[in-house]
Amino acid sequence: MRRIKTFKTLTRAASAASFLTVQAIICVGTVYWAIAETLRMEGTAAIVLGVIFAIPSAYLLIVVSRMAYEAETDPANQ
């Protein structure tokens, strides 16, 4: 079966990916802030912690976007 790729399904996929991405960024940012403030990190230590959080977060955003695209263009969901 072929995926349904119309303007409607692609905008729905973009909307779902955007929503889930914003929610993931809020959650990851909250955890980062809690850890940085609990450990009283400043300057370089906070930047290093941010980089440590950024790498898995980027992977998470890619996975979420791919899942939203697959879900919205799947013929069984139409």
Side-chain angles (χ1 to χ4, degrees), residues 21-62:
T21 299
V22 168
Q23 295 297 314
I25 289 172
I26 290 171
C27 292
V28 170
T30 302
V31 171
Y32 165 77
W33 173 77
I35 291 172
E37 289 298 317
T38 301
L39 299 176
R40 299 175 196 244
M41 292 183 166
E42 294 179 0
T44 306
I47 292 172
V48 170
L49 182 65
V51 169
I52 291 170
F53 271 71
I55 294 167
S57 298
Y59 175 73
L60 173 70
L61 300 180
I62 291 169

Side-chain angles (χ1 to χ4, degrees), residues 2-19:
R2 293 187 59 201
R3 295 211 172 269
I4 299 172
K5 297 176 195 167
T6 63
F7 181 74
K8 187 176 181 180
T9 59
L10 294 177
T11 55
R12 285 180 181 174
S15 297
S18 298
F19 175 74

